[in-house]
Amino acid sequence: ALASVGDSRAYLRRDGRLYQVTVDDTWVGSMVRAGTITEEEAARHHMRNVLSQAVGVHEPVNVQTYRLELQ
């Protein structure tokens, strides 16, 4: 089990490949997930590194939790 807030990424290595498990809490990332902009547009967006959420900045914080079966 793991928890994530902000841009602290967690990856799973399986079958020789890395998979990003967590979702970045960034303004641009939320636009990609909503379909407002593409991944390509996000890669060069001037606000791509602006966090939408981080621990210690605002209350409450939406903590993303994940459960994965390890092999």
Side-chain angles (χ1 to χ4, degrees):
L2 62 103
S4 173
V5 174
D7 64 350
S8 299
R9 291 181 177 177
Y11 292 87
L12 175 67
R13 182 171 186 256
R14 185 163 288 166
D15 300 323
R17 296 188 62 205
L18 284 178
Y19 301 91
Q20 184 176 340
V21 175
T22 56
V23 175
D24 291 347
D25 289 317
T26 62
W27 186 69
V28 171
S30 65
M31 292 187 345
V32 170
R33 290 187 295 278
T36 308
I37 64 173
T38 66
E39 290 279 350
E40 294 77 24
E41 292 169 321
R44 62 181 184 276
H45 197 284
H46 70 282
M47 294 184 68
R48 67 186 169 275
N49 296 320
V50 176
L51 292 175
S52 59
Q53 158 168 277
V55 173
V57 177
H58 297 288
E59 295 289 332
V61 175
N62 180 25
V63 179
Q64 301 166 34
T65 58
Y66 304 87
R67 293 180 61 84
L68 301 168
E69 185 174 325
L70 302 180
Q71 296 178 350

